[in-house]
Amino acid sequence: GSEAFGKGKLHILGASAVNVDSDFNKGVQFLTMAIDMFKNEKGHTADAKIEDPVRSYQYLAMSSLALYLLENSEVIK
């Protein structure tokens, strides 16, 4: 997330207003970074401890939102 938004100049379209575009993009950046951290934590343990179906759904919903937001993006030159 931080590489794509920083060095990669990724910009997510779809903020509700121009004056909150930066906040919107920071939110998507932190969401993708959070998903990356959860992925690392779950992928580097022998038992990821995701036995609760509600918790599993919440992880999927968070990832789905991030992918949906990333579909409407551009790279700023």
Side-chain angles (χ1 to χ4, degrees):
S2 60
E3 290 264 334
F5 285 89
K7 294 178 183 176
K9 304 294 183 197
L10 184 65
H11 180 254
I12 307 300
L13 305 170
S16 58
V18 175
N19 63 317
V20 294
D21 184 73
S22 177
D23 290 342
F24 178 74
N25 273 268
K26 279 290 184 198
V28 177
Q29 177 184 359
F30 289 129
L31 175 63
T32 58
M33 289 168 49
I35 291 167
D36 194 35
M37 293 295 109
F38 283 127
K39 177 196 67 71
N40 285 345
E41 183 260 339
K42 299 300 180 208
H44 295 288
T45 56
D47 182 8
K49 298 185 184 208
I50 306 178
E51 298 169 2
D52 179 7
V54 173
R55 176 62 56 89
S56 298
Y57 176 77
Q58 290 168 334
Y59 279 119
L60 289 172
M62 182 174 59
S63 298
S64 177
L65 173 61
L67 288 174
Y68 172 80
L69 293 169
L70 289 171
E71 287 177 358
N72 196 22
S73 63
E74 63 184 1
V75 176
I76 300 172
K77 296 177 183 176

